[in-house]
Amino acid sequence: MSIFRDKQIKHFLIFVAIYNILLVGIASWFYQNQIAETKYMFVEHDTAIISSLLEQGVSNEVIATAIFNTEVSTNGTELLKFLGIGENSIGNSLPYFSQFYHYLLIKIYFIGIVLIFVLLLGIFVFLWSRNQLFQQAGKVINNYIQDDYSCHLPQNSEGEIFRVFASVEQLATMLQSQKETEHRTKEFLKNTISDISHQLKTPLAALAMYQEIIEAEPDNVDTVKEFSAKIGAALKRMEQLILSLLKITRLDTGNIVFEKTLLSCKRGG
């Protein structure tokens, strides 16, 4: 799946896998530890009972029989009830169990807090790195909007988000190329118009001079014919320049569309 190509997501999934392994390991350790603690509690309790019975002169055989006995009698149950010991007994009446209970509670809270902290830390690191990536991409895209293409989106990894970055980068390259083409076209049009305007000044000045000569010698037929012909040549030149200017303008506005045709080139035998 393409989602696993994203380096950040891959690292986060590795963290989740390690966290689960750690969780299973801690659960196994906790289980073994509680078994050991329970055994220790029962041994301490039996040792205390045996010590008390020996001080009262009870024989070793009777004590051994009592310790290894697994049958529950009515008299034993009644005696425990009389002593206030049962399933609903409070912890103070069961000193070994009370100590075990408090120790177990502290251990559970400590392990739980550590596991929650590790999980939240991993999630925070993943979200922080993701947010940093999005902030970086946002700054670059804002630069693209402002026609600044000096920075580029990160493309040093794989994944869906980096595929989106690559598409945006390609779009930005196309926009940059289009803007550069438009700029060159405008510069070309500007220079061409300036050149045509400059070239129009010469025939206009010549027309003004020819008109003055004709007005100065209206009765001289040869002079009128000569400069009338020059006026016609100057007008044709101006017409060509104006037509060229109009064609350039139509090309710039896209009114003229070129048709593409395939031509077969034949080599001479």
Side-chain angles (χ1 to χ4, degrees):
M1 297 176 64
S2 58
I3 188 175
F4 297 112
R5 297 178 182 176
D6 193 317
K7 185 182 295 184
Q8 292 180 345
I9 294 180
K10 187 186 297 182
H11 289 169
F12 181 72
L13 293 177
I14 292 174
F15 162 76
V16 172
I18 295 176
Y19 181 83
N20 289 330
I21 294 173
L22 178 65
L23 191 63
V24 172
I26 291 177
S28 301
W29 170 83
F30 186 77
Y31 171 74
Q32 297 293 335
N33 181 265
Q34 294 314 301
I35 291 179
E37 290 291 335
T38 304
K39 289 180 180 179
Y40 176 79
M41 180 185 67
F42 276 106
V43 170
E44 287 290 317
H45 183 258
D46 291 344
T47 301
I49 293 177
I50 291 173
S51 299
S52 177
L53 292 176
L54 288 175
E55 291 177 358
Q56 296 178 21
V58 181
S59 64
N60 294 339
E61 291 79 6
V62 173
I63 295 175
T65 302
I67 290 297
F68 290 103
N69 180 47
T70 57
E71 296 181 358
V72 178
S73 63
T74 305
N75 293 331
T77 304
E78 293 296 331
L79 179 59
L80 286 177
K81 288 183 179 180
F82 176 76
L83 295 175
I85 300 176
E87 295 180 356
N88 298 323
S89 300
I90 59 177
N92 293 331
S93 61
L94 302 172
Y96 289 95
F97 177 78
S98 177
Q99 182 181 0
F100 172 76
Y101 171 77
H102 290 295
Y103 178 72
L104 176 63
L105 190 62
I106 293 174
K107 186 182 296 184
I108 289 175
Y109 276 130
F110 176 76
I111 294 175
I113 291 173
V114 171
L115 290 175
I116 291 174
F117 174 77
V118 172
L119 179 61
L120 293 178
L121 179 62
I123 295 175
F124 171 78
V125 171
F126 171 73
L127 295 178
W128 179 82
S129 59
R130 210 65 173 173
N131 184 63
Q132 290 295 110
L133 178 64
F134 292 151
Q135 285 185 356
Q136 181 183 358
K139 292 179 181 179
V140 174
I141 292 175
N142 286 333
N143 290 338
Y144 289 165
I145 294 174
Q146 299 173 4
D147 295 334
D148 181 8
Y149 300 94
S150 58
C151 300
H152 299 280
L153 292 171
Q155 299 184 35
N156 55 350
S157 184
E158 297 181 353
E160 293 299 326
I161 186 63
F162 291 96
R163 291 180 60 184
V164 174
F165 287 168
S167 299
V168 174
E169 190 72 18
Q170 184 178 3
L171 178 60
T173 303
M174 294 172 60
L175 291 175
Q176 182 182 9
S177 177
Q178 182 179 359
K179 287 184 177 296
E180 291 177 353
T181 303
E182 291 178 354
H183 178 71
R184 288 195 298 267
T185 303
K186 289 180 179 179
E187 287 295 324
F188 172 75
L189 181 61
K190 178 181 177 182
N191 295 332
T192 304
I193 293 175
S194 177
D195 183 59
I196 292 176
S197 299
H198 178 71
Q199 294 185 33
L200 284 174
K201 291 180 181 179
T202 301
L204 284 174
L207 285 175
M209 183 181 64
Y210 298 155
Q211 182 183 5
E212 291 177 359
I213 293 173
I214 292 174
E215 288 180 351
E217 300 181 19
D219 297 330
N220 191 340
V221 178
D222 294 333
T223 302
V224 172
K225 288 182 178 180
E226 179 184 356
F227 286 98
S228 295
K230 291 182 178 182
I231 289 174
L235 289 173
K236 287 182 179 180
R237 184 182 178 188
M238 292 178 61
E239 181 182 5
Q240 291 176 353
L241 291 174
I242 293 173
L243 289 176
S244 298
L245 179 61
L246 291 174
K247 288 181 179 179
I248 293 174
T249 306
R250 293 176 64 188
L251 284 172
D252 183 63
T253 56
N255 292 330
I256 298 178
V257 180
F258 294 96
E259 295 183 358
K260 298 180 181 180
T261 57
L262 295 177
L263 298 178
S264 58
C265 298
K266 296 182 180 181
R267 296 181 179 178

